[in-house]
Amino acid sequence: MAYWPWMLRDIGRLRRITSILARHGFSDVAARLRFGAWLKNLFNKLFRRPLSSPIPIGKRIRMVAEELGPTFVKLGQMLATRPDLVPMHVVSELRFLQDQVPGFPFEDVRAIVEADLGASVDEVFASVDSAPIAAASIAQVHRATLKDGTQVIIKVQRPNLPETIKADLRILSGLASMLERRVPEIRQFRPLAIVEEFRRSLSREMDFEMELLSMLRYAEMFSDEPKLHVPTPYPEYSSKRVLVMEYVEGIKVSERQSLIDAGVDLPSIVETGMRITLRSIFEFGFFHADPHPGNFFVRSDGSIVLLDFGMMGSLESRRIDEMLVFMVAILTGDVDMLVNQLLDADLIGDETDLRSMRGDLQAILDRYSNIRLGGLDVAGFLAELADVTIAHQVVLPADLLLVGKAMGTMEGLGQEVYPEFQPLEAIRPYLTEVYVKRVLDAKRHTQTAARSLLDGLNLLKEAPFDIRRILRRLRRNEMGLIVRSADSDFEQRAASARINRLIFGGMFTLFFFAGIFLLDSSSPVRIVAGVVSEVFAWGFLMGFGWFMIQGDRR
Amino acid sequence: MAESSFDKGLESLVAELIRTHLVDSVFAKDAVRKGLTPEKLESLRQEILTRLKEAEESGLEHRDAVRKVMETISGFIPKDSLMSTVAKSFVDKIVPPAASQDKEEE
Ligand SMILES: Nc1ncnc2c1ncn2[C@@H]1O[C@H](COP(=O)(O)OP(=O)(O)O)[C@@H](O)[C@H]1O
Ligand SMILES: [Mg+2]
């Protein structure tokens, strides 16, 4: 037991976990927890073997999480976005996780506000409503009025939250590292890395200064969008644990009847919501990763108010490109485009049988395109896609799944507010247009070249052998052949994609290296030559692009 | 970072490459043709062509800079080496001397 210090420390909490598990029919697991021999195949048991209860396993897992409190609810919510890690029937249950918890006393609100803002509640606010309007696992929300009469809300973090969560995280990472050490089958799910990622996302969500910055950034992004409103935050009254923002009046988008009674134009709301979601992902690479109905208000003029910027996703420009190609391929059912993109993004392992994967993907795409008119279940679709790719040793990037989550919730929202809504028809033209514009954007390609210059520098450090190999190939005059082999044979394409990357990097690096070498000496002529050589490396990049285009056209 | 004339020249070249070699094939893709109505496709195509033309023309005067730069540097590569051949063919292909712009490659 000596090597389970985390367990001794948190023994009280652990005992509670055990008894909650037992009550929900996980007595087998609970028993194993208590006696320490539970590790073997814990996850397998949890997810695959029917345990002693008539209630479906996914639902029981959800109930356990709800009872265990904030950390586990949040963990469940995170796992609900990872169909690559958790079986589908569990995922769909975890989506319903509620974090409705009792509020905390107003005295604590007072204390936290005073500690963080350095002034008493009465000094900052003209009045504060002591009954919360909402209470969740991280924070609770009160209405208040500023001295100048402005209506605001105060979002205050639960007292002692970091401590509670820390203890739970200790237990989780203790469990995770045991699993990783002892149960080889589970290792591939990288439990420690998941707990780590979870810890990070949780600590971001607990930092209201971060949330405030996200609100400002989001509002700025959509300053040209009159139908979206982001509440204005008050940085001078905010801290890590306190967030004050403008109070907004509105109808929750989940209250369909109230929306109808208020006479708002439902299709246009769904359309706006969808447009904003898509733009945030594909234009700005900064999106609301938790756009569930409770975080959307609709105002009587038909504009949307977005709340709760605690969980944001962000994408690099290159990732946006990848994502666009994925989406366009999926939306148009183009399986070759999809497979090629997986190859280009280097997501496919050497052992993957491309033909059989293509077949499986085709099957999913076909099935989903047949139900197109009934509306596409984006989230379900991505989950199935994840299943297939995992079966073929392809690991989809986590951001794709986050995007999937964001789009999936948007879609659910659409279905709820306006059931005739057809997400596929709504998304497709927009994405196609963005895709075409990005692919044909000269400025962006020119900038990409500059970025690749830096990549080339890194390559230089790592790849002298690759360069030698490339030179050998060049001498054998294989290059033309390789670069042009843009046929539809996937095996060959996979091979040539890898080789192309090598050649590309290698050539680039050569020029670059020549430049550095020349720059290194002091003669002015050489310095000029050095600069020029870097420039040439750049030019090479463009030339390479041109060769690829030529190859494609053949 | 202000745009240098090299940037502009390069962008002009890139724009031309895209216009002459990429636009058709992108619009010929099944995925793209299925994604938009024919009218929208046509107007998008015009919009993009206009934008590319603008980039092309506004950088035209700077192109020579790009070519000179590239020629100069290829002069530093040992004359009889493989690299020199490769480099020369790049320069010729990427930045054809203004007069002899070969439209369609063999
Ligand atoms: N600016 C606001 N104006 C009016 N009500 C708000 C505002 N911000 C939050 N609320 C209410 O408080 C609830 C919880 O706020 P939210 O920021 O979503 O907290 P949490 O991160 O705990 O979900 C919202 O669902 C909404 O009902
Ligand atoms: Mg919320």
Side-chain angles (χ1 to χ4, degrees):
Chain A
M1 275 275 173
Y3 53 94
W4 282 17
W6 52 271
M7 210 172 186
L8 292 176
R9 185 165 173 190
D10 303 309
I11 196 83
R13 180 70 175 149
L14 208 58
R15 187 166 298 146
R16 186 162 156 66
I17 293 176
T18 322
S19 77
I20 291 175
L21 278 175
R23 213 158 6 87
H24 287 282
F26 293 103
S27 46
D28 192 25
V29 176
R32 280 155 187 266
L33 264 177
R34 197 166 326 195
F35 298 116
W38 50 277
L39 276 169
K40 191 148 175 41
N41 294 332
L42 169 64
F43 271 33
N44 286 345
K45 302 252 184 232
L46 266 177
F47 294 138
R48 301 221 176 93
R49 211 181 79 181
L51 289 160
S52 47
S53 167
I55 306 172
I57 187 113
K59 187 159 188 182
R60 275 185 291 147
I61 290 178
R62 194 198 80 200
M63 282 157 35
V64 166
E66 277 171 6
E67 199 161 335
L68 282 174
T71 322
F72 293 87
V73 168
K74 288 280 167 196
L75 179 65
Q77 286 170 343
M78 180 187 123
L79 288 176
T81 68
R82 300 299 300 268
D84 53 331
L85 300 173
V86 180
M88 213 31 229
H89 59 280
V90 178
V91 164
S92 46
E93 193 62 43
L94 288 178
R95 291 220 180 94
F96 293 112
L97 267 175
Q98 296 287 321
D99 61 353
Q100 290 306 325
V101 288
F104 53 89
F106 187 63
E107 279 322 300
D108 289 335
V109 174
R110 259 182 200 288
I112 292 173
V113 168
E114 291 184 13
D116 280 25
L117 304 188
S120 76
V121 167
D122 304 320
E123 282 168 314
V124 179
F125 302 98
S127 69
V128 182
D129 207 337
S130 64
I133 53 172
S137 47
I138 304 249
Q140 94 182 14
V141 175
H142 290 264
R143 282 193 68 171
T145 315
L146 292 179
K147 293 280 183 206
D148 67 3
T150 315
Q151 300 277 305
V152 293
I153 62 106
I154 318 175
K155 187 168 167 178
V156 183
Q157 203 167 96
R158 227 158 239 289
N160 306 322
L161 187 65
E163 289 75 17
T164 319
I165 285 182
K166 253 187 215 137
D168 284 344
L169 281 172
R170 261 200 312 274
I171 293 177
L172 279 174
S173 51
L175 289 176
S177 72
M178 306 237 60
L179 287 173
E180 204 140 296
R181 274 208 304 276
R182 304 266 187 92
V183 192
E185 306 93 284
I186 286 178
R187 216 169 281 154
Q188 60 161 319
F189 294 115
R190 310 201 305 132
L192 260 181
I194 294 174
V195 173
E196 199 35 54
E197 187 179 328
F198 175 55
R199 179 200 308 277
R200 242 177 293 132
S201 108
L202 208 53
S203 68
R204 271 198 301 266
E205 215 177 323
M206 289 190 316
D207 181 352
F208 289 172
E209 277 166 5
M210 196 98 121
E211 180 165 346
L212 188 145
L213 291 178
S214 300
M215 293 176 80
L216 293 174
R217 176 166 171 200
Y218 207 88
E220 171 66 30
M221 274 162 36
F222 287 109
S223 53
D224 65 345
E225 186 80 65
K227 288 207 150 177
L228 174 73
H229 182 67
V230 177
T232 311
Y234 290 84
E236 63 272 39
Y237 305 130
S238 299
S239 70
K240 276 200 188 331
R241 297 187 296 170
V242 179
L243 179 56
V244 173
M245 71 182 90
E246 157 200 6
Y247 171 79
V248 280
E249 198 91 51
I251 305 167
K252 278 203 178 161
V253 91
S254 44
E255 293 161 16
R256 185 161 196 266
Q257 197 49 52
S258 318
L259 290 174
I260 293 171
D261 294 344
V264 277
D265 179 10
L266 298 183
S268 110
I269 287 170
V270 176
E271 198 264 323
T272 307
M274 203 53 144
R275 184 176 65 238
I276 289 162
T277 307
L278 291 172
R279 285 190 67 194
S280 66
I281 297 171
F282 294 104
E283 258 169 68
F284 304 107
F286 184 70
F287 56 97
H288 201 297
D290 188 23
H292 70 81
N295 291 335
F296 277 90
F297 278 5
V298 175
R299 295 199 287 193
S300 48
D301 63 354
S303 64
I304 290 180
V305 179
L306 203 45
L307 299 174
D308 197 354
F309 291 75
M311 203 200 278
M312 304 299 292
S314 66
L315 295 172
E316 286 174 35
S317 171
R318 202 181 327 179
R319 261 289 149 71
I320 298 181
D321 291 341
E322 287 176 17
M323 216 65 81
L324 264 175
V325 179
F326 277 128
M327 296 307 302
V328 170
I330 288 168
L331 291 173
T332 53
D334 189 332
V335 72
D336 289 339
M337 191 172 175
L338 186 61
V339 175
N340 285 334
Q341 178 56 19
L342 290 171
L343 285 171
D344 288 346
D346 217 358
L347 297 172
I348 294 187
D350 290 336
E351 326 78 56
T352 304
D353 176 350
L354 288 165
R355 269 172 228 286
S356 100
M357 182 176 77
R358 184 187 186 282
D360 291 351
L361 289 173
Q362 182 81 66
I364 304 186
L365 289 177
D366 285 350
R367 194 147 40 78
Y368 275 89
S369 72
N370 285 338
I371 57 168
R372 174 169 305 166
L373 289 177
L376 175 80
D377 167 13
V378 176
F381 172 78
L382 279 173
E384 269 198 52
L385 193 69
D387 280 350
V388 167
T389 50
I390 286 159
H392 290 282
Q393 281 101 37
V394 173
V395 182
L396 290 182
D399 3 4
L400 176 65
L401 300 165
L402 209 53
V403 168
K405 181 194 175 195
M407 301 210 352
T409 16
M410 251 335 282
E411 177 201 14
L413 201 107
Q415 300 288 351
E416 202 167 316
V417 175
Y418 175 54
E420 300 79 28
F421 177 58
Q422 291 179 12
L424 193 67
E425 298 315 310
I427 297 173
R428 194 162 51 183
Y430 173 82
L431 281 186
T432 309
E433 184 174 342
V434 177
Y435 166 78
V436 169
K437 280 185 176 160
R438 274 180 87 90
V439 172
L440 298 177
D441 181 348
K443 186 163 244 97
R444 205 173 58 84
H445 285 294
T446 314
Q447 283 162 356
T448 308
R451 211 173 36 234
S452 302
L453 189 76
L454 293 175
D455 291 350
L457 244 183
N458 288 329
L459 204 78
L460 185 71
K461 288 193 216 114
E462 294 157 15
F465 293 109
D466 286 347
I467 294 171
R468 235 168 281 153
R469 205 158 57 212
I470 289 154
L471 284 176
R472 222 173 27 239
R473 280 183 202 284
L474 275 175
R475 213 168 299 133
R476 280 199 241 119
N477 202 17
E478 284 177 9
M479 187 177 149
L481 206 160
I482 294 157
V483 171
R484 280 181 198 149
S485 68
D487 55 54
S488 54
D489 183 338
F490 289 127
E491 263 80 22
Q492 205 182 327
R493 233 192 114 99
S496 57
R498 265 176 227 125
I499 295 163
N500 276 338
R501 253 193 305 279
L502 281 179
I503 294 185
F504 180 45
M507 293 286 281
F508 186 76
T509 312
L510 273 183
F511 287 123
F512 199 74
F513 189 66
I516 298 282
F517 170 72
L518 290 168
L519 274 173
D520 222 348
S521 55
S522 49
S523 138
V525 176
R526 293 209 142 198
I527 288 176
V528 171
V531 171
V532 163
S533 172
E534 307 313 330
V535 159
F536 193 80
W538 230 41
F540 168 74
L541 216 82
M542 297 321 303
F544 182 81
W546 182 79
F547 266 123
M548 293 302 281
I549 295 162
Q550 284 294 92
D552 250 6
R553 285 156 49 86
R554 224 140 282 211
Chain B
M1 213 169 61
E3 259 193 321
S4 70
S5 79
F6 182 81
D7 284 339
K8 286 196 197 127
L10 192 58
E11 192 184 326
S12 160
L13 285 164
V14 172
E16 184 182 342
L17 285 174
I18 291 177
R19 187 175 58 78
T20 53
H21 293 287
L22 202 52
V23 173
D24 285 347
S25 63
V26 167
F27 278 92
K29 270 187 208 281
D30 252 9
V32 173
R33 286 219 314 272
K34 278 194 260 166
L36 291 166
T37 63
E39 301 80 57
K40 183 66 204 170
L41 276 175
E42 194 41 42
S43 74
L44 183 61
R45 188 195 184 92
Q46 288 314 323
E47 182 188 334
I48 285 171
L49 285 176
T50 312
R51 199 181 304 164
L52 288 171
K53 265 261 183 275
E54 273 167 23
E56 221 173 301
E57 272 152 27
S58 76
L60 212 51
E61 54 189 309
H62 303 288
R63 277 190 188 195
D64 238 24
V66 180
R67 194 166 60 85
K68 286 231 175 63
V69 160
M70 289 192 180
E71 275 173 359
T72 317
I73 182 58
S74 49
F76 280 88
I77 299 171
K79 276 284 166 318
D80 53 348
S81 71
L82 174 76
M83 278 326 278
S84 145
T85 324
V86 175
K88 185 163 170 2
S89 73
F90 270 133
V91 174
D92 288 350
K93 284 197 166 158
I94 302 169
V95 201
S100 69
Q101 295 218 349
D102 40 0
K103 278 266 163 311
E104 210 59 72
E105 263 305 307
E106 20 77 78

